[in-house]
Structures are given as structure tokens and as C-alpha cells.
Amino acid sequence: MKVTVVGAGNVGATCANCIAQKELVNEVVLLDIKEGVAEGKALDMWQTAPINYYDTRVKGVTNDYTATAGSEVVVITSGLPRKPGMSRDDLISINAGIVKSVTENIVKHSPDAIIIIISNPLDVMTYAAFLTAKKASNKVFGMAGVLDTARYRAFLAEELNVSPKDIQALLMGGHGDTMVPLPRYTTVAGIPVTELVDADKLEAIIERAKKGGGELVNLMGTSAWYAPGAAAAQMVEAIIRDQKRIFPVCALLNGEYGMKDIYLGVPVVLGKNGIEKVIEVKLNKEEKALLEGSATAVKSVMKVLDEMNIM
């Protein structure tokens, strides 16, 4: 079995490394357009196999999509990273062209592959890949909610001084400042988080989670990579091992939550067929209003992409 990661930058390399160490497949292919980068990083990873005790082969290639043929899952990280002061929406015109080209090549060589998008702006790049791939939407979706909930849970674990393993949380909506964390669906070992964290503290944690990507950009001068790469690898694991995990994923809605023709973060069951079910949780009036606001923001960027006539 084979998984391909397109883009050997920090996120792609981290994702490929996580997948290899989990021994999910026989081979991980890491592809990049920059000569020697994927080959070098793949070789470096493979040399950790005797140390970390795994058998998955890691192969790096420069723009050779024939090496990706027959992939079960393809993770697309290609595109420009955010720079300080740059919003995700600023990236749309450049990254849409990149995602389109990559998706065309992937579908050509692995027509049955499940495609996971990480490129930003996430929701709209997932839409771009879907339009290009021309395949069922349950096989083209984006990684956002797994990362966003990880940040949210990490901040809560820090605040409560407890293990992050015991924290379960749900976020919905777009990836970015309009995401919708749901405290009602956040628990610590089954205990509602609202019983453990004061309202003002919880609100501050939610706001930090919303701006989690921007916080890291300001600190490092570039986008995050450890958590995004690990989040994508966790999604790959759920698919390859048919785990039926429930994750918040950027999925195409077809009437769920009263919305259609929009890619938005919602909880889904993830298994060997990709998105096997979209779960509709009950939202109160305030939560529904926040989700609709997030959807409006995503729709506006989708409209920008449509008007560019790139796809």
C-alpha cells in the first residue's frame, strides 16, 4: 500500500515522517518541485528507520508523478506558506493554480485515491481540488478541524494542568478566525468543560485557538508544521486502517446543517471510503448563527475563486 505527500516543505515532510513511523503503508512517496529536496528529506527519514524501528520505505522524487501511481491516499500540502501580515485569503490566486495542477496529476496516476488538502486558504483550496478532481466529494476533503481541535485541547490541558489525552472537543466552520468552537461539546474525561473552566477563561482559550495559526506565524515568521503534519497523518491513519474515527473535517455539505455546495468544517466518520458519514449535531441558536457567519465568510472566498475562472 502507498501514500503520497505532495510538497516536501515543513508540513509535508512532517506528515510523511509521521505516516512512515506509524507503519501505515509499505511506501510513502514525498514529491516536490524543487530539485533534490524531497529526495534528501526522504533519505534522512529512511535513515531513522533502524533507530525508530519501522519498515515503511520513504521515497523522494522531484516532480515525477509516475512514482505516485496507485496511491491509496494523497495529501496535498503544496502552496505558498503565510508570511507575517498575510491572511489566508491573500494566497488564493497563487495556491489555487498550484492545487489545480497537482490534483490533475494525482488523478491521472491514482484515479481512485482519497485526497486530503492542507494547502491554504484551506476551505477554498479543498473546493478547488474537488472541482478539479471530478470525483465524489467523500473522497476529496480538507484537514482543518483535527488541527484546530488539537490546539484548543492543548490550551485547555495547559489551563487545567491535565493530560490532553482526556480532553475531547468539537469545532466547526471555516479554518481561521471564523471557526466555531463548541464548549457544550467539549469534555474532560466526560466532565463538561464549562464546569471546570470559568467563562471568561474559556472564552480567552477559544479566541486563542481561533488565532492559533497567526500566533505561530508571528513567533516564527512562517506557518506551523509539527501539528498540521501530525493532524493530516492521523486522518491518513483513520482511512488506511478503516478506524471509523469521528473527526471535524472540511467536507462538502449537501443539505446538512441547512447548507449546500459549500466546503465547511463538520464532524464526520472517517474510514476506508473517506468520509463515510457527516454527523449533524444539534446546535442552539447562538451556535447556529456563528456557523452561518463562518459559512458566509467561506462562501465569499469561494466566490472569489469562481470569479477568477481558474478552474
Side-chain angles (χ1 to χ4, degrees), residues 89-259:
D89 295 358
D90 292 334
L91 301 175
I92 187 169
S93 60
I94 298 170
N95 284 356
I98 294 171
V99 167
K100 179 183 179 183
S101 174
V102 170
T103 303
E104 287 172 342
N105 280 297
I106 287 302
V107 171
K108 178 181 177 182
H109 295 282
S110 300
D112 298 323
I114 291 170
I115 299 173
I116 301 173
I117 304 297
I118 304 182
S119 308
N120 279 319
L122 189 282
D123 312 278
V124 181
M125 290 305 102
T126 307
Y127 173 57
F130 169 68
L131 292 177
T132 305
K134 296 179 174 60
K135 61 166 59 187
S137 61
N138 68 301
K139 292 199 171 187
V140 184
F141 44 89
M143 185 288 297
V146 177
L147 169 62
D148 295 331
T149 54
R151 288 172 172 160
Y152 179 36
R153 290 156 64 198
F155 299 152
L156 285 170
E158 198 172 20
E159 171 66 25
L160 292 167
N161 194 27
V162 300
S163 170
K165 295 177 182 177
D166 290 329
I167 299 176
Q168 290 291 328
L170 175 62
L171 295 99
M172 295 175 63
H175 181 51
D177 295 349
T178 66
M179 74 176 73
V180 184
L182 298 170
R184 287 198 309 121
Y185 290 102
T186 302
T187 61
V188 184
I191 304 166
V193 74
T194 49
E195 293 188 15
L196 300 173
V197 182
D198 292 339
D200 57 340
K201 283 269 191 182
L202 187 55
E203 184 59 34
I205 289 170
I206 287 171
E207 286 305 308
R208 189 181 179 194
K210 285 182 179 181
K211 297 176 171 60
E215 179 181 357
L216 290 162
V217 169
N218 290 333
L219 287 169
M220 302 187 295
T222 189
S223 298
W225 61 88
Y226 293 124
Q234 189 176 53
M235 292 173 67
V236 172
E237 181 177 20
I239 295 164
I240 294 295
R241 292 184 171 162
D242 194 23
Q243 292 176 326
K244 315 293 188 190
R245 296 292 303 274
I246 297 176
F247 289 139
V249 166
C250 179
L252 184 67
L253 298 183
N254 292 299
E256 298 90 352
Y257 296 97
M259 301 180 193

